[in-house]
Amino acid sequence: TINIALNGIAPSIGFIAQELCINEPVQFTDTSTTSDGSNIISWSWDFGDGTNSSAPNPQHLYTNDSTYLVTFTIQTDSNCENKTTQNIQIHKKPIAGFYTIINTICSRQEFQLLDNSFSTDGSITNWFWDFGDIVVGDTSILQDPNYIFSVGNNYNVTHIVTTQYNCKDTVTNIVAVKESPVSSFTSSNQCVDNATQFTNTSQGNILSLLWDF
C-alpha cells in the first residue's frame, strides 16, 4: 500500500481576451477559480508572439494582424497548477474618411457630410460624428448626416468608425464655413402711384443683389 498525500485540487482555468485589434492594447482577464480554498498566486502568459507576462490581468499590444496561440498557466498556494491554450484573431482597423459634395459651405445652411470609410477586415457597423461646434447636439451617429453651422468659422470635424470586431479609426478634418449675409431692407413713401424708395440694409460681404417687387 502506498499512501499519497494530495496537496489540493487543481484550479479551474480560463481567460477572456477583449479589444482584439492591431496596435491597440488587448485586455487579457483571468477567469480562473479554485474549489479547495486555495489561492492563485502565480500567472504565466505566453502571448504567442515571443512575449510573456506574469501579471494576473495583463494588456498586450499586437503589431500584426494574425492568429496567435496564447498559452496561460496558473499555480495555487497549494502548489497545484493548470494550463490552457486559446487561439485569438487580431483584426485590422478600418480606415476612416469623409467628404462634402459642395465646395462652399455657408452658415445657417444645411449641408451633408458623406462617409467614405472602408474596412478590409469585417464590416463597419457604427459611425460617430463630432462637428466641433459649441452648441448642444453637435454630434451624430448617422452614416451620412446633415448639419447646419450657425456661425462662419473653421471647424474641426471628427469622424469615428467601428467594425463588427470593435476596431476603430478616427479622422479629423477642418471644415471651412463661410459667413452667410443677413438680408434686410427698409422702404419709404409706400403710396399708390408714388415711387417707393427701397434701401438695402443687408450685412455681410455682398457681391450681388436681386429684388423681386
Side-chain angles (χ1 to χ4, degrees):
T1 300
I2 299 176
N3 294 323
I4 299 176
L6 298 177
N7 293 331
I9 300 173
S12 176
I13 191 171
F15 72 89
I16 57 174
Q18 297 172 294
E19 308 300 330
L20 305 178
C21 305
I22 188 173
N23 292 323
E24 291 290 340
V26 176
Q27 178 64 59
F28 291 90
T29 303
D30 173 27
T31 59
S32 307
T33 58
T34 62
S35 60
D36 62 350
S38 61
N39 299 302
I40 300 172
I41 59 171
S42 175
W43 300 262
S44 176
W45 300 85
D46 181 340
F47 298 117
D49 62 351
T51 58
N52 302 273
S53 175
S54 59
N57 301 295
Q59 289 185 337
H60 182 63
L61 194 75
Y62 289 96
T63 57
N64 293 296
D65 58 295
S66 184
T67 300
Y68 296 89
L69 181 64
V70 177
T71 302
F72 180 41
T73 306
I74 56 175
Q75 186 179 48
T76 66
D77 53 10
S78 60
N79 206 33
C80 294
E81 70 173 40
N82 204 347
K83 179 170 71 173
T84 187
T85 58
Q86 180 178 321
N87 283 315
I88 64 169
Q89 176 67 47
I90 299 300
H91 298 280
K92 295 178 181 178
K93 292 182 180 181
I95 304 297
F98 69 90
Y99 67 101
T100 60
I101 294 178
I102 57 177
N103 293 324
T104 302
I105 300 171
C106 299
S107 64
R108 302 188 300 281
Q109 295 181 16
E110 187 176 64
F111 72 101
Q112 189 174 34
L113 292 152
L114 297 174
D115 167 56
N116 63 351
S117 307
F118 67 92
S119 172
T120 60
D121 190 349
S123 301
I124 295 175
T125 55
N126 292 96
W127 299 263
F128 177 80
W129 299 83
D130 184 337
F131 301 111
D133 210 347
I134 59 174
V135 299
V136 176
D138 70 330
T139 61
S140 176
I141 57 173
L142 298 177
Q143 183 176 1
D144 301 309
N146 293 331
Y147 193 70
I148 300 174
F149 287 104
S150 59
V151 178
N153 204 343
N154 289 331
Y155 295 90
N156 290 314
V157 178
T158 299
H159 184 33
I160 303 172
V161 292
T162 307
T163 68
Q164 65 191 80
Y165 303 116
N166 205 35
C167 297
K168 302 179 181 181
D169 190 38
T170 302
V171 62
T172 300
N173 293 329
I174 295 176
V175 173
V177 179
K178 305 296 184 181
E179 188 66 41
S180 295
V182 178
S183 178
S184 64
F185 67 90
T186 61
S187 61
S188 62
N189 195 18
Q190 300 165 1
C191 299
V192 176
D193 295 328
N194 288 326
T196 300
Q197 177 64 52
F198 293 92
T199 302
N200 174 39
T201 58
S202 302
Q203 299 177 356
N205 187 19
I206 300 170
L207 299 180
S208 64
L209 295 170
L210 176 64
W211 297 88
D212 185 349
F213 299 112

mmCIF file of all heavy atoms in Angstrom, residues 11 26-27 37 40 74 76 84 86 88 97 106 115 130 133 141 161 165 193 195 206 212:
data_model
loop_
_atom_site.group_PDB
_atom_site.id
_atom_site.type_symbol
_atom_site.label_atom_id
_atom_site.label_comp_id
_atom_site.label_asym_id
_atom_site.label_seq_id
_atom_site.Cartn_x
_atom_site.Cartn_y
_atom_site.Cartn_z
ATOM 1 N N PRO A 11 -6.726 24.096 -9.944
ATOM 2 C CA PRO A 11 -7.718 25.158 -10.189
ATOM 3 C C PRO A 11 -8.390 24.973 -11.547
ATOM 4 O O PRO A 11 -7.831 24.361 -12.471
ATOM 5 C CB PRO A 11 -6.872 26.424 -10.165
ATOM 6 C CG PRO A 11 -5.507 25.976 -10.555
ATOM 7 C CD PRO A 11 -5.346 24.596 -9.978
ATOM 8 N N VAL A 26 -4.663 44.787 -26.100
ATOM 9 C CA VAL A 26 -5.617 43.697 -25.888
ATOM 10 C C VAL A 26 -5.657 43.402 -24.391
ATOM 11 O O VAL A 26 -4.618 43.206 -23.760
ATOM 12 C CB VAL A 26 -5.203 42.434 -26.673
ATOM 13 C CG1 VAL A 26 -6.152 41.276 -26.358
ATOM 14 C CG2 VAL A 26 -5.175 42.726 -28.166
ATOM 15 N N GLN A 27 -6.854 43.399 -23.819
ATOM 16 C CA GLN A 27 -7.019 43.144 -22.396
ATOM 17 C C GLN A 27 -7.252 41.659 -22.158
ATOM 18 O O GLN A 27 -8.228 41.079 -22.641
ATOM 19 C CB GLN A 27 -8.186 43.945 -21.826
ATOM 20 C CG GLN A 27 -8.453 43.704 -20.345
ATOM 21 C CD GLN A 27 -7.299 44.164 -19.473
ATOM 22 O OE1 GLN A 27 -6.937 45.334 -19.496
ATOM 23 N NE2 GLN A 27 -6.717 43.251 -18.697
ATOM 24 N N GLY A 37 -10.321 26.034 -1.554
ATOM 25 C CA GLY A 37 -9.960 27.086 -0.603
ATOM 26 C C GLY A 37 -8.589 27.680 -0.817
ATOM 27 O O GLY A 37 -8.173 28.571 -0.069
ATOM 28 N N ILE A 40 -4.861 31.479 -5.996
ATOM 29 C CA ILE A 40 -3.968 31.527 -7.150
ATOM 30 C C ILE A 40 -2.886 32.562 -6.864
ATOM 31 O O ILE A 40 -3.181 33.720 -6.561
ATOM 32 C CB ILE A 40 -4.746 31.870 -8.433
ATOM 33 C CG1 ILE A 40 -5.813 30.812 -8.705
ATOM 34 C CG2 ILE A 40 -3.801 32.004 -9.619
ATOM 35 C CD1 ILE A 40 -6.755 31.149 -9.847
ATOM 36 N N ILE A 74 -1.481 28.802 -14.561
ATOM 37 C CA ILE A 74 -1.664 29.347 -13.215
ATOM 38 C C ILE A 74 -1.216 28.316 -12.181
ATOM 39 O O ILE A 74 -1.187 27.112 -12.455
ATOM 40 C CB ILE A 74 -3.129 29.749 -12.941
ATOM 41 C CG1 ILE A 74 -4.068 28.565 -13.169
ATOM 42 C CG2 ILE A 74 -3.531 30.947 -13.770
ATOM 43 C CD1 ILE A 74 -5.514 28.842 -12.799
ATOM 44 N N THR A 76 -1.492 27.565 -7.694
ATOM 45 C CA THR A 76 -2.074 27.971 -6.417
ATOM 46 C C THR A 76 -1.034 27.853 -5.297
ATOM 47 O O THR A 76 0.055 27.322 -5.495
ATOM 48 C CB THR A 76 -3.286 27.086 -6.065
ATOM 49 O OG1 THR A 76 -2.829 25.743 -5.825
ATOM 50 C CG2 THR A 76 -4.308 27.093 -7.183
ATOM 51 N N THR A 84 -3.876 26.219 -20.080
ATOM 52 C CA THR A 84 -4.803 26.190 -21.197
ATOM 53 C C THR A 84 -4.226 26.987 -22.353
ATOM 54 O O THR A 84 -3.373 27.863 -22.159
ATOM 55 C CB THR A 84 -6.183 26.767 -20.798
ATOM 56 O OG1 THR A 84 -7.103 26.572 -21.882
ATOM 57 C CG2 THR A 84 -6.098 28.251 -20.481
ATOM 58 N N GLN A 86 -5.383 28.975 -26.179
ATOM 59 C CA GLN A 86 -6.516 29.515 -26.926
ATOM 60 C C GLN A 86 -6.004 30.337 -28.103
ATOM 61 O O GLN A 86 -5.096 31.164 -27.957
ATOM 62 C CB GLN A 86 -7.380 30.392 -26.010
ATOM 63 C CG GLN A 86 -8.600 31.011 -26.678
ATOM 64 C CD GLN A 86 -9.417 31.821 -25.702
ATOM 65 O OE1 GLN A 86 -9.595 31.452 -24.541
ATOM 66 N NE2 GLN A 86 -9.922 32.955 -26.153
ATOM 67 N N ILE A 88 -6.369 33.342 -30.639
ATOM 68 C CA ILE A 88 -7.064 34.621 -30.755
ATOM 69 C C ILE A 88 -6.715 35.245 -32.104
ATOM 70 O O ILE A 88 -5.588 35.123 -32.589
ATOM 71 C CB ILE A 88 -6.724 35.590 -29.605
ATOM 72 C CG1 ILE A 88 -5.248 35.984 -29.636
ATOM 73 C CG2 ILE A 88 -7.107 35.003 -28.255
ATOM 74 C CD1 ILE A 88 -4.929 37.133 -28.699
ATOM 75 N N GLY A 97 -12.818 58.075 -43.181
ATOM 76 C CA GLY A 97 -12.733 59.189 -44.121
ATOM 77 C C GLY A 97 -14.099 59.783 -44.381
ATOM 78 O O GLY A 97 -15.120 59.129 -44.177
ATOM 79 N N CYS A 106 -21.859 77.347 -46.189
ATOM 80 C CA CYS A 106 -22.241 78.633 -45.608
ATOM 81 C C CYS A 106 -22.987 78.418 -44.303
ATOM 82 O O CYS A 106 -23.687 77.414 -44.118
ATOM 83 C CB CYS A 106 -23.120 79.434 -46.573
ATOM 84 S SG CYS A 106 -22.302 79.818 -48.142
ATOM 85 N N ASP A 115 -19.769 59.792 -45.644
ATOM 86 C CA ASP A 115 -18.768 58.835 -45.167
ATOM 87 C C ASP A 115 -18.183 58.064 -46.346
ATOM 88 O O ASP A 115 -18.919 57.526 -47.171
ATOM 89 C CB ASP A 115 -19.431 57.875 -44.171
ATOM 90 C CG ASP A 115 -18.565 56.668 -43.866
ATOM 91 O OD1 ASP A 115 -17.417 56.874 -43.443
ATOM 92 O OD2 ASP A 115 -19.033 55.531 -44.064
ATOM 93 N N ASP A 130 -18.460 64.173 -34.535
ATOM 94 C CA ASP A 130 -18.410 65.344 -33.657
ATOM 95 C C ASP A 130 -18.075 66.519 -34.563
ATOM 96 O O ASP A 130 -16.983 66.601 -35.126
ATOM 97 C CB ASP A 130 -17.343 65.167 -32.577
ATOM 98 C CG ASP A 130 -17.318 66.318 -31.578
ATOM 99 O OD1 ASP A 130 -17.775 67.429 -31.924
ATOM 100 O OD2 ASP A 130 -16.847 66.112 -30.454
ATOM 101 N N ASP A 133 -18.636 71.918 -33.094
ATOM 102 C CA ASP A 133 -19.398 73.125 -32.800
ATOM 103 C C ASP A 133 -19.499 73.281 -31.287
ATOM 104 O O ASP A 133 -19.179 72.369 -30.528
ATOM 105 C CB ASP A 133 -20.787 73.020 -33.424
ATOM 106 C CG ASP A 133 -21.365 74.367 -33.806
ATOM 107 O OD1 ASP A 133 -20.805 75.384 -33.374
ATOM 108 O OD2 ASP A 133 -22.366 74.383 -34.533
ATOM 109 N N ILE A 141 -24.838 59.915 -35.029
ATOM 110 C CA ILE A 141 -24.454 58.517 -35.212
ATOM 111 C C ILE A 141 -24.944 57.995 -36.565
ATOM 112 O O ILE A 141 -24.891 56.798 -36.829
ATOM 113 C CB ILE A 141 -24.990 57.619 -34.074
ATOM 114 C CG1 ILE A 141 -26.517 57.723 -33.960
ATOM 115 C CG2 ILE A 141 -24.327 57.980 -32.752
ATOM 116 C CD1 ILE A 141 -27.124 56.745 -32.964
ATOM 117 N N VAL A 161 -15.195 55.557 -36.975
ATOM 118 C CA VAL A 161 -15.917 54.387 -37.476
ATOM 119 C C VAL A 161 -15.457 53.146 -36.712
ATOM 120 O O VAL A 161 -14.297 53.051 -36.295
ATOM 121 C CB VAL A 161 -15.715 54.195 -38.990
ATOM 122 C CG1 VAL A 161 -16.393 55.298 -39.762
ATOM 123 C CG2 VAL A 161 -14.234 54.118 -39.354
ATOM 124 N N TYR A 165 -15.788 43.947 -35.197
ATOM 125 C CA TYR A 165 -14.851 43.429 -34.210
ATOM 126 C C TYR A 165 -14.460 44.494 -33.191
ATOM 127 O O TYR A 165 -13.523 44.296 -32.418
ATOM 128 C CB TYR A 165 -13.604 42.892 -34.910
ATOM 129 C CG TYR A 165 -13.901 41.826 -35.928
ATOM 130 C CD1 TYR A 165 -13.631 42.032 -37.282
ATOM 131 C CD2 TYR A 165 -14.462 40.612 -35.547
ATOM 132 C CE1 TYR A 165 -13.910 41.057 -38.225
ATOM 133 C CE2 TYR A 165 -14.746 39.635 -36.486
ATOM 134 C CZ TYR A 165 -14.467 39.864 -37.830
ATOM 135 O OH TYR A 165 -14.760 38.883 -38.755
ATOM 136 N N ASP A 193 -49.051 105.017 -56.810
ATOM 137 C CA ASP A 193 -48.662 105.977 -57.847
ATOM 138 C C ASP A 193 -47.539 106.900 -57.417
ATOM 139 O O ASP A 193 -47.262 107.906 -58.080
ATOM 140 C CB ASP A 193 -49.864 106.828 -58.309
ATOM 141 C CG ASP A 193 -50.927 105.988 -58.992
ATOM 142 O OD1 ASP A 193 -50.545 104.975 -59.635
ATOM 143 O OD2 ASP A 193 -52.113 106.313 -58.886
ATOM 144 N N ALA A 195 -43.357 106.830 -56.183
ATOM 145 C CA ALA A 195 -42.172 105.981 -56.168
ATOM 146 C C ALA A 195 -41.806 105.613 -54.728
ATOM 147 O O ALA A 195 -41.709 106.496 -53.864
ATOM 148 C CB ALA A 195 -41.005 106.697 -56.841
ATOM 149 N N ILE A 206 -21.359 91.331 -49.520
ATOM 150 C CA ILE A 206 -22.378 91.090 -50.531
ATOM 151 C C ILE A 206 -21.826 91.428 -51.912
ATOM 152 O O ILE A 206 -21.328 92.539 -52.150
ATOM 153 C CB ILE A 206 -23.640 91.923 -50.228
ATOM 154 C CG1 ILE A 206 -24.188 91.526 -48.849
ATOM 155 C CG2 ILE A 206 -24.685 91.717 -51.304
ATOM 156 C CD1 ILE A 206 -25.275 92.427 -48.338
ATOM 157 N N ASP A 212 -37.205 91.373 -56.000
ATOM 158 C CA ASP A 212 -38.428 90.885 -56.601
ATOM 159 C C ASP A 212 -39.576 91.666 -55.975
ATOM 160 O O ASP A 212 -39.931 91.461 -54.816
ATOM 161 C CB ASP A 212 -38.594 89.385 -56.364
ATOM 162 C CG ASP A 212 -39.805 88.798 -57.073
ATOM 163 O OD1 ASP A 212 -40.630 89.584 -57.572
ATOM 164 O OD2 ASP A 212 -39.923 87.558 -57.110
#
